Amino acid sequence: MRVARQVGLYAALLAITAFVVVPIGFAVLGGFKDNGQLSVNPFGLPEPWNFANYAEIIASSAFWRPLLNSTIIAVATTLLLVGVAALAAFVFARFAFRGRELIFMLFAVGLMFPFAVAILPLFVLLRELGLLNNPLGVILPQAAFGLPVTIIVLRTFFRAIPGELEEAATLDGCGPLGFFWRILLPMARPALATVSVLAIVASWNSFMLPLVVFNDPSWWTIPLGVRQFQGQYGQDTARILAYVVLAMVPALAFYAVAERQLIGGLTSGAAKG
Amino acid sequence: MGVATLHSPAPPATDAPPRRRRRVPWLTIALFLLPALVLFSLLVLAPIGLASYTSLFKWNGYGGAPTDFVGLGNFVQALTSPIFLGDLGRHATLIALSLLVQLPLALAIAMVLNQKIRGRAFFRLLFFAPYVLSEVITAVLFSLFFSPNLGLANHLLGLVGLGELGQTWLADPKTVLYSLAFVMTWKYFGFHMILYLAGRQNIPNELMEAAAIDGGSPWQIFRYVTLPLLAPTIRISVFLSVLGTIELFDLVWVLTGGGPLHASETMAITMFESGFRRSQVGYASAISILMFVIALTFALLYQKFVMRRDLEGAMTGMRS
């Protein structure tokens, strides 16, 4: 009976595994084929293995340039966002003052704003500020829209740090800034890692904003690069598959490294810990 | 090092840490809050305010401030437009498919992965992986997967003897929405699975064991013990799923562009097309405000009637 149950469980898991893996496997193997092979044999192993697609993309700036841009924009967004949010979360967590809850609510309501609502006025605003085709035109709004989540997560964490620590630091002559910088931030490393990972992933995958801000290909990020590549090589399916696979690699590698923080961050609120 | 936010008990939202009475250090507070407030007001609140303002005008987005005031005309135009009303129907279809297919699937897998089986961690890691890929990459991948001649979908149907079911999946108004739901399931079921797993881990096993000792069958235990205890997690998962569907853009824009014949168009696509392609910025703003109102109304009603609990911090995974 137990054996039958185990077999059933594994059969279900393998079915779902196929559901997840088959499209990705199709792309990975497809990149090693030419289009002739792809039309008669979309699913089997390549015969012969054709390395030209991957090799050409790895050797071209059409891949490395967007990768670099995505990295610059993700890192800058994250540094700005986490820095600014940590300062605000510190005040929300450790100070009592009139209007605190009201200002906090303002940020919390920001969770409800679909980014699409702001995209048109943002575009007009960035055009007036001369920030189109400028990475700041993507970095600043992304950081601004990331504030609600980041402030809420950090505030919860900062609150959990015992008041006695602050008392002791104050007695030792630490001002609020000193306490924040020397004690609170080092203690909050796990929380900072969590919100940073969330911010990096959000920036890495964002599309609508860079789509309207960057006309000029020199600042295109990976999502824009993938889309452009698909348009450019329309019928060359094998080549597009190779590009898609290479474009997945950084995200999956990052996921492998930061899986804990990512999953922890996403479930931190949902799991009533 | 675990993730601290998972296990730190959240103190009640009203009390600050105990402190000796002293004057409120307004200068410190102002300096710490200022950067966040400036960034947020200028780039989040102001654009939303501007969108409400421009939604009352007929405006192409150029030549200084809008002047051609039309009141609620844009809203009337949207609410009587077959495309926008069609959007609402398509959102309803996508939401229904999420709630009837994607979330139950995620729940079933979470229950399986909660058992003591070999390779549990590996499967969990694998099933969540699609969530990490950008919607654009996912869309390009599946546009090739569903491609009628070089794609894999029809080939697989042929392999299992259903070749005659082969379709031009994304080019046929009858199948495009289901193909889109298929892609959404592929990308997002792992996220909901993770939520359910986290929720399940917060339920003490003794409860299920007690039910088993009382002679409950596995199904009865799931139905009468596990499911009710998972209800808060499921409520959050449904909430995030609906909101995510309301805002859907990237995936559709790249996969189908909203076509064929608007058959996969969403509110965000209609807004983007009107605003950026046809320079009807006033009309597009009205649509974006309608989208906002729908999302907000749903959120408020849902919290009032379904959740009745504090959501704070429960919405960290806004994009799902």
Side-chain angles (χ1 to χ4, degrees):
Chain A
M1 209 42 235
R2 272 194 59 89
V3 175
R5 191 151 166 269
Q6 287 278 356
V7 170
L9 289 186
Y10 273 109
L13 286 178
L14 288 177
I16 302 296
T17 303
F19 171 61
V20 171
V21 170
V22 163
I24 295 182
F26 160 72
V28 173
L29 294 175
F32 285 111
K33 297 171 184 172
D34 56 35
N35 291 306
Q37 281 188 61
L38 208 54
S39 63
V40 292
N41 171 24
F43 192 48
L45 287 174
E47 287 179 41
W49 289 73
N50 162 21
F51 295 93
N53 288 325
Y54 285 112
E56 276 170 31
I57 293 165
I58 287 179
S60 87
S61 64
F63 175 67
W64 293 105
R65 182 85 223 212
L67 191 66
L68 180 68
N69 293 341
S70 274
T71 309
I72 292 171
I73 287 171
V75 169
T77 300
T78 305
L79 287 176
L80 176 68
L81 165 59
V82 175
V84 168
L87 289 170
F90 173 60
V91 168
F92 288 130
R94 320 288 305 184
F95 289 81
F97 57 96
R98 192 176 305 161
R100 182 184 70 174
E101 291 311 305
L102 192 71
I103 301 176
F104 179 73
M105 271 302 296
L106 197 70
F107 284 106
V109 169
L111 281 175
M112 294 303 316
F113 296 161
F115 186 75
V117 178
I119 190 76
L120 277 163
L122 256 183
F123 175 77
V124 174
L125 194 70
L126 294 170
R127 192 182 63 203
E128 299 305 313
L129 294 171
L131 286 176
L132 294 184
N133 282 323
N134 180 330
L136 283 175
V138 170
I139 292 166
L140 295 172
Q142 281 184 174
F145 271 83
L147 282 172
V149 166
T150 313
I151 287 177
I152 287 170
V153 171
L154 288 181
R155 180 179 88 142
T156 309
F157 189 88
F158 289 168
R159 279 187 160 181
I161 288 171
E164 289 78 13
L165 264 176
E166 197 170 351
E167 304 278 331
T170 314
L171 288 177
D172 288 343
C174 223
L177 188 62
F179 170 73
F180 172 75
W181 187 252
R182 290 202 203 129
I183 297 168
L184 199 67
L185 283 190
M187 282 186 77
R189 259 192 215 124
L192 293 173
T194 297
V195 292
S196 301
V197 166
L198 289 179
I200 287 173
V201 171
S203 168
W204 193 267
N205 293 342
S206 90
F207 175 63
M208 201 196 269
L209 185 62
L211 178 68
V212 302
V213 171
F214 298 139
N215 275 327
D216 170 7
S218 64
W219 271 107
W220 278 355
T221 53
I222 286 190
L224 296 171
V226 171
R227 205 174 137 58
Q228 151 66 20
F229 199 84
Q230 185 189 21
Q232 190 176 340
Y233 294 103
Q235 292 311 308
D236 194 347
T237 304
R239 185 190 289 254
I240 301 167
L241 285 174
Y243 193 97
V244 166
V245 169
L246 289 173
M248 283 182 191
V249 170
L252 292 177
F254 184 71
Y255 167 52
V257 174
E259 174 245 350
R260 257 204 127 108
Q261 284 78 9
L262 184 65
I263 289 180
L266 290 170
T267 54
S268 63
K272 292 257 175 278
Chain B
M1 215 38 220
V3 176
T5 45
L6 268 175
H7 302 294
S8 48
T14 45
D15 54 11
R19 44 178 54 255
R20 296 184 307 281
R21 281 190 61 84
R22 59 173 180 198
R23 280 181 303 115
V24 177
W26 285 112
L27 186 64
T28 309
I29 291 173
L31 285 177
F32 274 62
L33 270 185
L34 209 57
L37 274 176
V38 169
L39 202 58
F40 195 70
S41 318
L42 194 68
L43 293 170
V44 179
L45 300 178
I48 305 248
L50 270 173
S52 348
Y53 180 71
T54 50
S55 69
L56 304 174
F57 291 82
K58 196 168 168 18
W59 187 43
N60 66 3
Y62 287 89
T67 50
D68 190 358
F69 183 78
V70 293
L72 295 178
N74 288 321
F75 291 91
V76 173
Q77 190 190 335
L79 292 169
T80 53
S81 128
I83 293 176
F84 182 79
L85 294 175
D87 288 347
L88 297 180
R90 286 182 285 272
H91 281 283
T93 306
L94 290 173
I95 288 169
L97 288 169
S98 283
L99 301 189
L100 297 173
V101 180
Q102 185 191 334
L103 301 192
L105 175 79
L107 182 60
I109 296 165
M111 292 300 106
V112 170
L113 286 186
N114 194 52
Q115 318 273 335
K116 286 191 170 48
I117 48 175
R118 223 182 272 269
R120 205 162 67 156
F122 166 78
F123 285 118
R124 200 189 64 159
L125 196 70
L126 181 74
F127 295 168
F128 186 70
Y131 180 78
V132 184
L133 300 175
S134 74
E135 291 198 348
V136 175
I137 287 181
T138 307
V140 173
L141 170 62
F142 276 91
S143 68
L144 301 172
F145 179 84
F146 282 124
S147 123
N149 40 14
L150 295 185
L152 190 57
N154 289 345
H155 184 78
L156 288 178
L157 285 175
L159 282 185
V160 293
L162 297 170
E164 71 277 10
L165 293 180
Q167 294 280 351
T168 48
W169 298 100
L170 299 174
D172 182 342
K174 285 196 293 294
T175 52
V176 67
L177 214 49
Y178 296 100
S179 308
L180 175 61
F182 179 90
V183 180
M184 286 167 75
T185 303
W186 184 86
K187 182 156 166 38
Y188 290 115
F189 87 93
F191 170 75
H192 295 281
M193 172 197 81
I194 291 281
L195 287 186
Y196 299 144
L197 273 171
R200 173 63 184 77
Q201 271 151 23
N202 283 338
I203 304 172
N205 278 325
E206 288 82 1
L207 294 168
M208 289 71 184
E209 285 157 14
I213 290 166
D214 291 343
S217 70
W219 168 251
Q220 283 176 314
I221 295 174
F222 171 74
R223 173 68 191 78
Y224 296 105
V225 183
T226 316
L227 198 57
L229 288 167
L230 270 180
T233 310
I234 294 173
R235 284 195 282 260
I236 287 170
S237 150
V238 167
F239 181 78
L240 294 175
S241 181
V242 173
L243 275 187
T245 309
I246 289 175
E247 297 173 30
L248 191 65
F249 176 82
D250 299 5
L251 197 62
V252 188
W253 182 257
V254 179
L255 195 66
T256 63
L261 305 170
H262 305 288
S264 61
E265 196 159 314
T266 62
M267 287 188 278
I269 300 265
T270 310
M271 178 278 297
F272 199 89
E273 281 276 342
S274 319
F276 288 101
R277 289 270 168 97
R278 294 201 290 276
S279 292
Q280 302 166 326
V281 174
Y283 179 61
S285 297
I287 290 179
S288 73
I289 295 297
L290 283 170
M291 184 169 39
F292 184 36
V293 168
I294 290 169
L296 205 60
T297 310
F298 164 75
L300 294 174
L301 290 178
Y302 193 84
Q303 285 185 48
K304 190 165 160 56
F305 293 106
V306 182
M307 294 232 205
R308 296 203 191 98
R309 58 178 62 235
D310 177 23
L311 244 191
E312 182 183 308
M315 309 206 293
T316 30
M318 279 311 284
R319 307 268 162 265
S320 54

